[in-house]
């Protein structure tokens, strides 16, 4: 996943409505009408949110007879999680080294490797 794709995905998920749509899509595919039902907003507004998620690569829409169900691309969520985990581990290692230094026992080289 390149930086532009990553930025688009995080920007898309910055909106609480879009995060809720993603959360609901983890339960299964749904049409725009089904996704819009609990919200006090128009179908067009929900469709705009879905367009943002689609352009970020988080969801896809396909034709299924008369329906156009929206599908969550879980692989992209996995890539976002991987990016966050990589940076979380780096921060934890830095804090561990600082903690060891403050306690007077510097970590060995093998302790610094992930």
């Amino acid at each position: 996943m390149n930086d532009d794709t990553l930025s688009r995905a995080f920007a898309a998920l910055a909106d609480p409505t879009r995060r809720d749509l993603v959360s609901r899509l983890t339960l299964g595919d749904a049409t725009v009408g089904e996704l819009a039902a609990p919200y006090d907003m128009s179908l067009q507004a929900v469709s705009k949110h879905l367009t943002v998620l689609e352009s970020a690569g988080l969801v896809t829409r396909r034709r299924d007879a008369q329906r156009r169900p929206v599908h969550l691309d879980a692989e992209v969520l996995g890539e976002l999680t991987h990016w966050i985990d990589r940076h979380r581990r780096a921060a934890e290692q830095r804090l561990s080294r600082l903690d060891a230094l403050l306690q007077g026992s510097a970590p060995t080289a093998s302790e610094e490797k992930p």
Side-chain angles (χ1 to χ4, degrees):
M1 178 177 268
N2 64 38
D3 284 348
D4 286 344
T5 305
L6 192 65
S7 295
R8 278 196 306 272
F10 278 121
L13 293 173
D15 183 275
T17 299
R18 290 193 284 266
R19 285 195 307 273
D20 189 55
L21 289 168
V22 167
S23 178
R24 293 178 56 216
L25 285 168
T26 61
L27 302 175
D29 294 357
T31 64
V32 174
E34 292 166 341
L35 290 169
Y39 300 112
D40 187 25
M41 65 176 69
S42 67
L43 283 175
Q44 291 79 14
V46 172
S47 186
K48 278 181 94 172
H49 282 297
L50 291 171
T51 299
V52 172
L53 292 171
E54 192 171 23
S55 68
L58 292 163
V59 301
T60 56
R61 297 186 221 197
R62 60 181 166 76
R63 182 164 298 281
D64 180 20
Q66 299 298 317
R67 303 177 65 216
R68 290 203 62 200
V70 180
H71 173 78
L72 177 66
D73 188 347
E75 185 176 320
V76 174
L77 288 179
E79 291 175 15
L80 294 175
T81 301
H82 175 74
W83 186 90
I84 291 169
D85 284 345
R86 184 170 36 119
H87 288 82
R88 179 187 50 78
R89 283 191 305 272
E92 287 174 351
Q93 288 173 353
R94 183 176 51 84
L95 292 174
S96 178
R97 286 191 305 267
L98 177 61
D99 188 45
L101 182 65
L102 291 174
Q103 291 182 15
S105 61
T108 63
S110 63
E111 291 175 335
E112 291 183 355
K113 294 188 178 181

